Amino acid sequence: MAILLSIFPVLLWTMMAFQANLLQAKGIQVLPPVNFTLTVSALAEVLLQWKPNPDQEEKNYTIRYDVEIMTPERDEYDTKKTCSTRVAVLHNGFSARIRTLLLYTNSQIKSNWVTAKLQAPPGAVETSVTNLSCVIYTAINNTASLHCTWLAGKAAPEDTKYFLFYRYNNYTEECQEYSKDKWERNIGCRFSNTYIKTSETDEVIVIHINGSSNGTAIKPFEQIFNQNAILQVLPPVNFTLTVSALAEVLLQWKPNPDQEEKNYTIRYDVEIMTPERDEYDTKKTCSTRVAVLHNGFSARIRTLLLYTNSQIKSNWVTAKLQAPPGAVETSVTNLSCVIYTAINNTASLHCTWLAGKAAPEDTKYFLFYRYNNYTEECQEYSKDKWERNIGCRFSNTYIKTSETDEVVVIHINGSSNGTAIKPFEQIFNQNAIQKVNPPRNVTMSLKQNNLLVKWEMPASSFLKECFKYELNIYNWKMGYKQILETELNSFSLRIDDTCRYSIQIRANHQSWCTEGFWSDWTEPLYIGKNQPRTPVDSKTYTVLIALIVSICSMALLIAIICRKYHVWSRLFPPIPTPQNSLKNMFLNKSYQRARTYTSETETEVGSCFEDLGSYTEDLYFEVLEDS
């Protein structure tokens, strides 16, 4: 297939050449046109004229003409007519050529080319104007004015006089109102009223500037403009900025009264420059923007004209709001806020901040919050050691936690004797600072080492798909903690049933629902063996230990009393035994044997047996007393 496609053009050309040869074999000759001339018919317009060759037979076939513009810009077209007009700049000349095209059945036979040329108009090099630019201004009464400016050529003498002409369709007019440079040379022109119709589309405006000078030929210059490309759009008027609420600016403007609105659409480009850059467009003549204003606010606006497939923009108009007064580093810092949602869907707001580094000790800060059209001042503050307000609590607010992507505006201003306190504003997405409620109704079940945990979504107006969860699983036997994440309302995990586990769960919003603050962990639930002490178990162990200590202390006290007062020997007297006759003999023999040792050993052994003898005697007399 690819081979056939590649050889098809060759075959087609071969067939056409064959047919052309066949025509020529029949004596049919294609002759070029005659009397081909080029004539300047208007500013930047050339009339091309020719005649068919009188010797060209026209029977049984069609004759057309190929026209090729060679300069200033190459272009090709064909026509049945014997004349044609082309709009083109002519200060560098113009050239074209033409030939006869004979259409016979499926073949084309072309004659030789005939060429004609217009010479460039005379003039010295670099004497023509440069940097030509033009603008059309449209008035509300549908009239159009034309303003053009240019620079004199580098080689143009000081006495050069430039003359500007414009052409629109068949109308040509010379400028009568010029602006001049320091040598009194014309370098600008203004037509207060023209023939230009701004309601037309794709029409062109031809600008022709020639000149004269004593002794130097000034080269003319031409340029062709699309009228839509140079149509001037007028900027809005009465652009103002007004603070309409806390951290809210109202932008207002009016359409330019001289701007015509016929046959095209007008919109407005709005660009916020400070505090944060932002761009948008609107059909309206007013707009509101939420922005922090403690550092000021500035914006600019312009008219945007939509005309067919083009956009034409006016110049910018700028407005600015100055920053409110206040000493440096006296405004609050480290502002943070949290929204707490109750079961009944009411919301409380808690905010904390730090006093500014340069804020005096007598500074008093005052907090306001705004939610939609509601604005409220704080009545419940917390204070630092200098009694400055550094925290605020709204127990009940107008904030609707069921809304999404709404903002909460916090504004804190202040006062002090002798020092201006600079205000501070911050804008929070309400979902981003919302403290999520913990999951509800958490249950666990264990079956063949498979732990199944289930729970319900937190109390919230959000859909359950908006929540994600974290599970804190702690193995008490191994001392190992594991944090797992899930987006479901249940979780299954295989565990070692010989270990004791505790499970806690917390919740937060998914990122696509605007992630807030994680909820508190749920109360721990336990499953498995080696259960850790619960509060009840700890109390029982405490009582048991105290009881054991009390019993041991009582037993020790009784033993001391019995020892001191010989209570035990009185209650259980010993049975009398006969005197041991071997006692004296044992003592004497032991004493004599001990005398054979060294003096040091003798002293120790002797003292040992003396103690033994003393103890034996004491025991003996004690027994006698008891008996």
Side-chain angles (χ1 to χ4, degrees), residues 326-333 353-367 381-391 412-424:
V328 178
E329 294 189 336
T330 56
S331 61
V332 303
T333 60
W353 61 88
L354 297 178
K357 291 181 180 179
E361 294 179 6
D362 68 338
T363 301
K364 291 183 179 179
Y365 290 115
F366 306 100
L367 181 142
Y381 289 103
S382 57
K383 302 177 182 294
D384 64 8
K385 63 181 180 179
W386 290 291
E387 291 299 309
R388 297 179 298 191
N389 297 334
I390 58 167
I412 303 178
N413 57 31
S415 64
S416 173
N417 294 328
T419 303
I421 304 300
K422 191 172 182 65
F424 179 82

Side-chain angles (χ1 to χ4, degrees), residues 551-564 567-568:
I551 293 174
C552 292
S553 301
M554 187 65 71
L556 180 60
L557 181 60
I558 293 172
I560 293 173
I561 294 173
C562 292
R563 174 65 179 170
K564 184 173 182 179
V567 176
W568 188 261

